[in-house]
Amino acid sequence: MSVLFIVTVLILLFFAGLFLVKYHNLRKDIDAIVTDLQDNSTHSDRLILRSTNEKSTQQLLKELNFFIDRNRELFKQGTSLNQGMKNTVTNLSHDLKTPLTVISGYAEVTKNNLATIESGELMENLSKIEIQSKKLVQTINKYFDLNKLNAGEMKTERRKIDISEILREEVLAYYLEIEHAALQLDLEISEEPTYILGDETAVRRIFTNLLSNAVKYGKDGDYLAVKSWQTTENVFIEITDHGKGLQEENQQQIFERLATLEDATDKNYQGSGLGLSITKSLVENQQGKISLYSKPFVRTTFTIEFPLV
């Protein structure tokens, strides 16, 4: 038996042993990973933490943990979406129920007293039915508008517009409501043209929503300020009131879809919760940003920022 043959056999035995060790370690790692995956059937968000020197096993663990992490994120999103859908049903049913109840009530009273009801009372009842019907249509339209915005289906035409001029016009259009609420109006709107690239209808709706909120929720503070200024790159618009405002823990929630804060300690911003969510979506659709600072009965300010052109 030659020395070469013996050496060859020894080399083969060495590699065979090395292969068996590798196979044993790999099998051990895979069995451990399978056990961890089985355990994850009840704890699907738990990462698999295993120490191994095998590069292929390390890569497998990396991909599995990426999948688990992604699954955890999707689960959170799904839970949030599910809760959002529940809130949608609850809040919309509340906002639809109120005008429908009023409409039904006045319609029934009118019908039951049709033979004896005076024309003045009849017109008053019909007027109240009309007002509640419009509220109903507005709520439904807001809901569909928000869905269109979130789905990217709402068509907007972005062009060069003077946002200072639009802001002045919207304040003027809302002046009767401001006067009726007996608010001291403080205006500091730039006299110079302030151009942004945006959709005029969307920008007008943003201002209308914020002015409406300021009058509705800030009237107890007897003050409303509308200001704008610009830097070299951006224009800023502030709408401020001294009303009830919001507690700090609720300030981010107010921009969430259908947030009404009904389940929070702060009850100041109630309603369908669609207006500010739509406002935020419209601002972001114009490449802008919106933020809120609020200290109840001291200052509540919505600040919008748009890039200049």
Side-chain angles (χ1 to χ4, degrees), residues 18-34:
L18 184 62
F19 174 78
L20 287 173
V21 171
K22 289 274 188 182
Y23 173 79
H24 174 75
N25 290 339
L26 182 60
R27 181 62 183 270
K28 183 179 178 182
D29 287 339
I30 291 175
D31 288 343
I33 291 171
V34 169

Side-chain angles (χ1 to χ4, degrees), residues 11 34 36 59 69 79 113 146 166 212 256 259 268 271 273 276 298-299:
I11 291 174
V34 169
D36 286 342
Q59 185 63 31
D69 195 50
T79 301
N113 298 280
L146 184 58
I166 293 172
S212 173
E256 294 177 7
N268 297 329
L276 287 173
V298 177
R299 177 168 70 90

Side-chain angles (χ1 to χ4, degrees), residues 258-273:
L258 297 167
T260 64
L261 304 185
E262 291 287 351
D263 56 346
T265 56
D266 193 324
K267 306 286 186 181
N268 297 329
Y269 276 76
Q270 298 180 0
S272 67

Side-chain angles (χ1 to χ4, degrees), residues 163 194 196 228-230 233-237 304-306 308:
I163 198 169
T194 310
I196 70 165
S228 72
W229 72 94
Q230 64 187 71
E233 297 182 350
N234 300 292
V235 58
F236 296 85
I237 298 98
I304 308 171
E305 174 186 350
F306 289 117
L308 293 170

Side-chain angles (χ1 to χ4, degrees), residues 235-269:
V235 58
F236 296 85
I237 298 98
E238 280 189 353
I239 296 179
T240 300
D241 66 74
H242 292 171
K244 297 177 181 179
L246 286 160
Q247 299 297 330
E248 185 176 357
E249 63 269 19
N250 295 322
Q251 290 179 25
Q252 288 304 314
Q253 186 183 350
I254 197 63
F255 288 115
E256 294 177 7
R257 176 176 175 156
L258 297 167
T260 64
L261 304 185
E262 291 287 351
D263 56 346
T265 56
D266 193 324
K267 306 286 186 181
N268 297 329
Y269 276 76

